[in-house]
Structures are given as C-alpha cells and as structure tokens.
Amino acid sequence: MNVLIIGSGGREHALAWRLAESPSVKRVFAAPGNPGIAQSATCLAGCNYLQLAADNGIDLTIVGPEAPLIEGVVDQFRQAGRTIFGPVQAAAQLEGSKIFSKNFFARHAIPTARFHTALSEVDALKALDDFIAPVVLKADGLAAGKGVVIAHTMEEARATVKQFMAGELAGTAGQRLVIEEFLIGEEVSFIALSDGTTILPLLPSQDHKNIFDNDQGPNTGGMGAYVDERILTSAQTQTVMETVMRPAIDGMRKEGSPFTGFLYAGLMMTAGGPKTLEFNVRLGDPETQPILYRMRSDFAKVLHAGATGKLHNETLEWSQKPAVGIVLAAEGYPGKPVTGDGISGIEAAESLGGKVFHAGTKRNERGEIVTSGGRVLTITADGPTLLEAMENAYRAAAPIRFRGMQFRKDIGKKGLKRW
Ligand code: AMP
Ligand code: GLY
C-alpha cells in the first residue's frame, strides 16, 4: 500500500522511517515532511491533505500532530471514503479541551486529580477556597505548552487566575480554566492504538519535559525520552489498561464517537495508583522516536487494521533492548528559537550507530541542512541495558554540532534505579 504521513517533526520522521520498512508498504509520502523524512518518503507541498491523498493513490493516511485532528481531518477523509488512522473531531476533544476531558474522566470514573472547572474569574477565585497550595491551573484549549501553571502559594494561584482570565497567559484558551490538586509521583507516557474497540498498548516511556537536567527550568515539548518495559510492572500496566484505557475507549464508543487512532495517556504514578493528567490524541514527540526504534511488526499493516476496525487480528512485536532518544534543541528554545544555523556531524552520528531523526531542519539555498525550529534533531540508540542505551545514544550525539545547541545530559537517568 501507499501511505501518507501528515506532519513534519521528529515523530513523523520516525513514522516515515519505520513505515518505509514495513513489508506491506510500497511507497511512503509525507506532507510537508522535512529533509530527514525525505530519506524515507516523498515529501509533498500543500495542505489539502485529501487532495494529496487522491492525487498520489494513498491507501492509508496517518496523522502526526493534534492540530489537523482537532480541525476534523479524519471526518473529512471518512466522508470522502478514504482510509485514515486518527480520531474524529468529536473524539479529538479529549486533547483539544481540558474541560471536556476532565468531565469525560468524571463520567467514566477514570482516575484523575480532583478538579473544578471555572468559566469566570469570580467562579475560579471562589473555587480556589477548596484547594491547598500547590495548586494546578490549566487553560481549557490548546495553548502551545503555555497553558499549565503550577502555583506554589494561594496568592500566586489568585494572581495566575487573574492573568489567565485577562487573556495574558494563553489568550482566549485561558478564559476557561481547570483548577486541580497537585499530584506527586513519576510521570509515564502510556500510548496505545485503538480501532474504537480493541486496544493495543505500545511500550511505556518517559519524557523529560524541562529544558535543563534534573527537571529544572521551563517546560518544553520534550527534551528526550526512553522506552523500557521496567517503567511499569505488569500489574501496573494491567491497572492502567483496566482503569484508564479501557474506560476511555469504551466511553468514547458509548458516547457515539468511537476513538480510532493513538491514545496517549499522560499518567502520574501516585501512591494511590495511576492518575490521568491528560490525554493526547496522537503519538508523543519525542516518545515515538525510541518507541518505533524498537518496533518489529509490519506497522503499516497494524495501522491499516486499526483504521478499518480489524485490530483484534493484530499483535505488536518489539526488540528486547531499551532505547533512548536525545533531543538536540536550538538556542532560545523553548522561547523563540534561533534558526538558520548549519548542522554538522549527522553522518558521523549515524556511523556510530545512532539513528538521527530530523525535526526542525531544512535545506538552505545551497542545499545544506540548517536549523529551522526549536527541537532540531532526536538522536536515538538502544543497548542491552538502559545504561548502555544511554551511553550509545550520547556517544552517537557527540559529533553533532550547531551554534547554540542545547541538550540534557540525563535522558534515561531516572530509569536506572529499576536496573
Ligand atoms: P498537562 O498538559 O495537563 O499534561 O500538564 C503539563 C505538565 O504539568 C505535566 O506533564 C505535569 O508535569 C504537570 N502537571 C499537570 N497536572 C498536574 C497535577 N495535577 N499535578 C502535578 N503536576 C501536574
Ligand atoms: N512529549 C509530550 C507530547 O508529545 O505531548
């Protein structure tokens, strides 16, 4: 089959690379793609994805980022009778609206932080009386990583409510708020794929969201991730499947919007069991890079089964080795990144056994690869132990250079205690 991947980041490069190796795939296309994706796929310009799918004889479309899902690209493809793997707009609200998702958790008894939703400043300030610091404030809509504030005192919480309601922190998205209790524990990214009924979990992973080592500094989209079965015991995996994933997939189906696609639960593993911080309706970035590094199945065949309600016939096979993905980010990130800097050492990194996934890169007028976004590359490698996977990934990343490059030196470190 011919597959089309929508998106242009490191996650989409990992998808293109893995799908190009799928025995059932003839050709891979990406819209818009990037210079790394171009090694595995034909990159297409334009954002009328339905037209691109028709023009290129696409049998299966896979959506990387959330924005097209929330805009309804899956509904559009379905209406045109084209096969696509992703949730319809109504189901994508699980990521598009925190108020929708928290109320959905409540309707289906999915464990989550105790919360209150507030639509006005008066309401939000009054609701704060039921919480103690630290307290978490979340903008309802998509806010490009700026929508969550952890207030350490009630005074800070009140000031933050006022800023959100004035539109200063997240625009109109912040004028509808979720206020919730602060949870303590380790965060786990638990991603599964579903055809609306059957659920196939991917391997568990951990992201590293802060810009600096030891989880210091501002939040980013993710500075690196590792994939290791030991992140969850089999009992914990079972609990997550039974208390989070199964009620979510069944709940969406019962509410008339069966969830087809990747469902990503951001979990906090608390003393009282796993609690759902959020759902994303897509694969994680950078989690996808080390996850797909370990995939051994004919992934296109599984995704096609997912898109057509036949996932019950499929299983997923994985390599046995932990994998680590290190993000190399541009100067200025997670603020406005500096772009246009030349990148060297990519071939050297690959000859050292690392897989270099491109995110914010482009070719300049001379054909050289330069930086073009905040997160630039994800260097991924595996090893017989988590420590060796980390060493292999860092060794491979060592030759890569661009001006102002930032990266964390501790990706995977929090998993070493399990070895
Ligand atoms: P979210 O976009 O809801 O996943 O929130 C972004 C980040 O804020 C999460 O990855 C957590 O690190 C943190 N966070 C969100 N909600 C909570 C909570 N209730 N307790 C503690 N930390 C939280
Ligand atoms: N790595 C976090 C996310 O993809 O949302």
Side-chain angles (χ1 to χ4, degrees), residues 262-287:
F262 296 102
L263 183 62
Y264 166 144
L267 301 173
M268 188 72 92
M269 303 305 292
T270 73
K275 302 247 162 111
T276 311
L277 293 177
E278 62 163 353
F279 275 135
N280 295 318
V281 298
R282 49 167 176 84
L283 286 165
D285 189 340
E287 290 94 325

mmCIF file of all heavy atoms in Angstrom, residues 262-287:
data_model
loop_
_atom_site.group_PDB
_atom_site.id
_atom_site.type_symbol
_atom_site.label_atom_id
_atom_site.label_comp_id
_atom_site.label_asym_id
_atom_site.label_seq_id
_atom_site.Cartn_x
_atom_site.Cartn_y
_atom_site.Cartn_z
ATOM 1 N N PHE A 262 -4.206 6.864 17.900
ATOM 2 C CA PHE A 262 -3.297 6.714 19.040
ATOM 3 C C PHE A 262 -3.879 7.485 20.219
ATOM 4 O O PHE A 262 -4.142 8.687 20.100
ATOM 5 C CB PHE A 262 -1.923 7.292 18.715
ATOM 6 C CG PHE A 262 -1.199 6.580 17.603
ATOM 7 C CD1 PHE A 262 -1.156 7.121 16.322
ATOM 8 C CD2 PHE A 262 -0.574 5.365 17.828
ATOM 9 C CE1 PHE A 262 -0.492 6.472 15.295
ATOM 10 C CE2 PHE A 262 0.099 4.702 16.813
ATOM 11 C CZ PHE A 262 0.139 5.261 15.539
ATOM 12 N N LEU A 263 -4.033 6.810 21.336
ATOM 13 C CA LEU A 263 -4.477 7.496 22.556
ATOM 14 C C LEU A 263 -3.305 7.494 23.532
ATOM 15 O O LEU A 263 -2.763 6.442 23.870
ATOM 16 C CB LEU A 263 -5.686 6.782 23.164
ATOM 17 C CG LEU A 263 -6.278 7.465 24.399
ATOM 18 C CD1 LEU A 263 -6.797 8.870 24.073
ATOM 19 C CD2 LEU A 263 -7.424 6.626 24.986
ATOM 20 N N TYR A 264 -2.911 8.684 23.919
ATOM 21 C CA TYR A 264 -1.715 8.879 24.756
ATOM 22 C C TYR A 264 -2.199 9.363 26.118
ATOM 23 O O TYR A 264 -2.748 10.461 26.221
ATOM 24 C CB TYR A 264 -0.841 9.908 24.053
ATOM 25 C CG TYR A 264 0.298 10.570 24.798
ATOM 26 C CD1 TYR A 264 1.478 10.864 24.144
ATOM 27 C CD2 TYR A 264 0.208 10.954 26.134
ATOM 28 C CE1 TYR A 264 2.530 11.508 24.774
ATOM 29 C CE2 TYR A 264 1.254 11.584 26.772
ATOM 30 C CZ TYR A 264 2.398 11.868 26.083
ATOM 31 O OH TYR A 264 3.415 12.523 26.728
ATOM 32 N N ALA A 265 -2.017 8.552 27.140
ATOM 33 C CA ALA A 265 -2.357 8.986 28.489
ATOM 34 C C ALA A 265 -1.080 9.480 29.162
ATOM 35 O O ALA A 265 -0.106 8.731 29.271
ATOM 36 C CB ALA A 265 -2.971 7.838 29.285
ATOM 37 N N GLY A 266 -1.093 10.729 29.587
ATOM 38 C CA GLY A 266 -0.026 11.250 30.433
ATOM 39 C C GLY A 266 -0.411 10.902 31.858
ATOM 40 O O GLY A 266 -1.397 11.421 32.374
ATOM 41 N N LEU A 267 0.334 9.987 32.472
ATOM 42 C CA LEU A 267 -0.051 9.458 33.786
ATOM 43 C C LEU A 267 0.868 9.979 34.874
ATOM 44 O O LEU A 267 2.061 10.180 34.639
ATOM 45 C CB LEU A 267 0.059 7.923 33.785
ATOM 46 C CG LEU A 267 -0.785 7.173 32.773
ATOM 47 C CD1 LEU A 267 -0.408 5.691 32.799
ATOM 48 C CD2 LEU A 267 -2.270 7.347 33.080
ATOM 49 N N MET A 268 0.301 10.161 36.063
ATOM 50 C CA MET A 268 1.129 10.361 37.252
ATOM 51 C C MET A 268 0.972 9.101 38.080
ATOM 52 O O MET A 268 -0.151 8.748 38.467
ATOM 53 C CB MET A 268 0.652 11.591 38.029
ATOM 54 C CG MET A 268 1.576 11.962 39.152
ATOM 55 S SD MET A 268 3.125 12.670 38.537
ATOM 56 C CE MET A 268 2.734 14.412 38.514
ATOM 57 N N MET A 269 2.086 8.403 38.335
ATOM 58 C CA MET A 269 2.034 7.179 39.132
ATOM 59 C C MET A 269 2.106 7.605 40.593
ATOM 60 O O MET A 269 3.180 7.838 41.137
ATOM 61 C CB MET A 269 3.195 6.244 38.762
ATOM 62 C CG MET A 269 3.237 5.876 37.279
ATOM 63 S SD MET A 269 1.722 5.147 36.607
ATOM 64 C CE MET A 269 1.712 3.582 37.463
ATOM 65 N N THR A 270 0.955 7.770 41.227
ATOM 66 C CA THR A 270 0.907 8.260 42.613
ATOM 67 C C THR A 270 0.873 7.068 43.569
ATOM 68 O O THR A 270 0.655 5.926 43.156
ATOM 69 C CB THR A 270 -0.351 9.117 42.868
ATOM 70 O OG1 THR A 270 -1.491 8.241 42.911
ATOM 71 C CG2 THR A 270 -0.556 10.157 41.791
ATOM 72 N N ALA A 271 1.025 7.385 44.863
ATOM 73 C CA ALA A 271 0.939 6.329 45.884
ATOM 74 C C ALA A 271 -0.427 5.649 45.825
ATOM 75 O O ALA A 271 -0.572 4.481 46.169
ATOM 76 C CB ALA A 271 1.200 6.927 47.259
ATOM 77 N N GLY A 272 -1.428 6.390 45.352
ATOM 78 C CA GLY A 272 -2.781 5.827 45.252
ATOM 79 C C GLY A 272 -3.084 5.228 43.886
ATOM 80 O O GLY A 272 -4.248 5.071 43.538
ATOM 81 N N GLY A 273 -2.050 4.936 43.101
ATOM 82 C CA GLY A 273 -2.255 4.331 41.774
ATOM 83 C C GLY A 273 -2.117 5.351 40.660
ATOM 84 O O GLY A 273 -1.918 6.545 40.922
ATOM 85 N N PRO A 274 -2.230 4.901 39.409
ATOM 86 C CA PRO A 274 -2.063 5.820 38.274
ATOM 87 C C PRO A 274 -3.221 6.809 38.161
ATOM 88 O O PRO A 274 -4.378 6.424 38.297
ATOM 89 C CB PRO A 274 -2.033 4.891 37.053
ATOM 90 C CG PRO A 274 -2.599 3.589 37.496
ATOM 91 C CD PRO A 274 -2.440 3.504 38.983
ATOM 92 N N LYS A 275 -2.883 8.075 37.956
ATOM 93 C CA LYS A 275 -3.909 9.117 37.731
ATOM 94 C C LYS A 275 -3.618 9.761 36.375
ATOM 95 O O LYS A 275 -2.457 9.985 36.036
ATOM 96 C CB LYS A 275 -3.830 10.185 38.825
ATOM 97 C CG LYS A 275 -4.011 9.619 40.223
ATOM 98 C CD LYS A 275 -5.295 10.106 40.846
ATOM 99 C CE LYS A 275 -5.692 9.236 41.995
ATOM 100 N NZ LYS A 275 -5.649 9.684 43.283
ATOM 101 N N THR A 276 -4.677 10.063 35.654
ATOM 102 C CA THR A 276 -4.509 10.620 34.311
ATOM 103 C C THR A 276 -4.376 12.133 34.383
ATOM 104 O O THR A 276 -5.292 12.820 34.833
ATOM 105 C CB THR A 276 -5.730 10.240 33.446
ATOM 106 O OG1 THR A 276 -5.948 8.842 33.604
ATOM 107 C CG2 THR A 276 -5.480 10.544 31.989
ATOM 108 N N LEU A 277 -3.225 12.648 33.962
ATOM 109 C CA LEU A 277 -3.029 14.097 33.914
ATOM 110 C C LEU A 277 -3.704 14.664 32.689
ATOM 111 O O LEU A 277 -4.288 15.736 32.717
ATOM 112 C CB LEU A 277 -1.534 14.439 33.843
ATOM 113 C CG LEU A 277 -0.679 14.113 35.063
ATOM 114 C CD1 LEU A 277 0.771 14.453 34.777
ATOM 115 C CD2 LEU A 277 -1.179 14.884 36.271
ATOM 116 N N GLU A 278 -3.566 13.943 31.577
ATOM 117 C CA GLU A 278 -4.146 14.441 30.324
ATOM 118 C C GLU A 278 -4.189 13.300 29.327
ATOM 119 O O GLU A 278 -3.475 12.303 29.464
ATOM 120 C CB GLU A 278 -3.274 15.567 29.740
ATOM 121 C CG GLU A 278 -1.872 15.088 29.390
ATOM 122 C CD GLU A 278 -1.102 16.007 28.446
ATOM 123 O OE1 GLU A 278 -1.669 16.971 27.933
ATOM 124 O OE2 GLU A 278 0.077 15.714 28.211
ATOM 125 N N PHE A 279 -5.022 13.468 28.323
ATOM 126 C CA PHE A 279 -4.973 12.613 27.145
ATOM 127 C C PHE A 279 -4.493 13.441 25.968
ATOM 128 O O PHE A 279 -4.905 14.594 25.802
ATOM 129 C CB PHE A 279 -6.373 12.080 26.789
ATOM 130 C CG PHE A 279 -6.773 10.836 27.524
ATOM 131 C CD1 PHE A 279 -8.038 10.727 28.087
ATOM 132 C CD2 PHE A 279 -5.907 9.749 27.644
ATOM 133 C CE1 PHE A 279 -8.433 9.578 28.755
ATOM 134 C CE2 PHE A 279 -6.298 8.593 28.312
ATOM 135 C CZ PHE A 279 -7.562 8.514 28.875
ATOM 136 N N ASN A 280 -3.634 12.844 25.155
ATOM 137 C CA ASN A 280 -3.359 13.380 23.833
ATOM 138 C C ASN A 280 -3.945 12.393 22.840
ATOM 139 O O ASN A 280 -4.060 11.203 23.137
ATOM 140 C CB ASN A 280 -1.855 13.551 23.601
ATOM 141 C CG ASN A 280 -1.251 14.592 24.542
ATOM 142 O OD1 ASN A 280 -1.848 15.641 24.760
ATOM 143 N ND2 ASN A 280 -0.107 14.289 25.108
ATOM 144 N N VAL A 281 -4.287 12.889 21.659
ATOM 145 C CA VAL A 281 -4.994 12.030 20.715
ATOM 146 C C VAL A 281 -4.085 11.641 19.544
ATOM 147 O O VAL A 281 -4.544 11.435 18.433
ATOM 148 C CB VAL A 281 -6.289 12.707 20.219
ATOM 149 C CG1 VAL A 281 -7.232 12.940 21.406
ATOM 150 C CG2 VAL A 281 -6.001 14.026 19.505
ATOM 151 N N ARG A 282 -2.802 11.497 19.865
ATOM 152 C CA ARG A 282 -1.754 11.299 18.860
ATOM 153 C C ARG A 282 -0.562 10.659 19.547
ATOM 154 O O ARG A 282 -0.563 10.509 20.777
ATOM 155 C CB ARG A 282 -1.344 12.670 18.322
ATOM 156 C CG ARG A 282 -1.085 13.579 19.535
ATOM 157 C CD ARG A 282 -0.396 14.843 19.248
ATOM 158 N NE ARG A 282 -0.282 15.657 20.452
ATOM 159 C CZ ARG A 282 0.660 15.536 21.366
ATOM 160 N NH1 ARG A 282 1.616 14.637 21.232
ATOM 161 N NH2 ARG A 282 0.675 16.309 22.440
ATOM 162 N N LEU A 283 0.446 10.338 18.777
ATOM 163 C CA LEU A 283 1.701 9.850 19.358
ATOM 164 C C LEU A 283 2.435 11.003 20.038
ATOM 165 O O LEU A 283 2.266 12.160 19.657
ATOM 166 C CB LEU A 283 2.597 9.282 18.251
ATOM 167 C CG LEU A 283 2.196 7.930 17.672
ATOM 168 C CD1 LEU A 283 2.936 7.687 16.357
ATOM 169 C CD2 LEU A 283 2.509 6.808 18.662
ATOM 170 N N GLY A 284 3.269 10.691 21.011
ATOM 171 C CA GLY A 284 4.083 11.716 21.667
ATOM 172 C C GLY A 284 5.343 12.002 20.869
ATOM 173 O O GLY A 284 5.843 11.154 20.137
ATOM 174 N N ASP A 285 5.853 13.208 21.040
ATOM 175 C CA ASP A 285 7.133 13.574 20.460
ATOM 176 C C ASP A 285 7.959 14.144 21.593
ATOM 177 O O ASP A 285 7.528 15.149 22.172
ATOM 178 C CB ASP A 285 6.906 14.611 19.348
ATOM 179 C CG ASP A 285 8.162 14.889 18.537
ATOM 180 O OD1 ASP A 285 9.273 14.608 19.028
ATOM 181 O OD2 ASP A 285 8.028 15.397 17.409
ATOM 182 N N PRO A 286 9.044 13.555 22.039
ATOM 183 C CA PRO A 286 9.899 12.583 21.353
ATOM 184 C C PRO A 286 9.660 11.107 21.693
ATOM 185 O O PRO A 286 10.465 10.273 21.252
ATOM 186 C CB PRO A 286 11.291 12.999 21.835
ATOM 187 C CG PRO A 286 11.052 13.414 23.265
ATOM 188 C CD PRO A 286 9.698 14.071 23.263
ATOM 189 N N GLU A 287 8.631 10.738 22.437
ATOM 190 C CA GLU A 287 8.477 9.327 22.826
ATOM 191 C C GLU A 287 8.476 8.384 21.614
ATOM 192 O O GLU A 287 9.002 7.262 21.666
ATOM 193 C CB GLU A 287 7.169 9.119 23.599
ATOM 194 C CG GLU A 287 7.143 9.742 24.993
ATOM 195 C CD GLU A 287 6.517 11.134 24.983
ATOM 196 O OE1 GLU A 287 6.694 11.880 23.994
ATOM 197 O OE2 GLU A 287 5.850 11.475 25.978
#
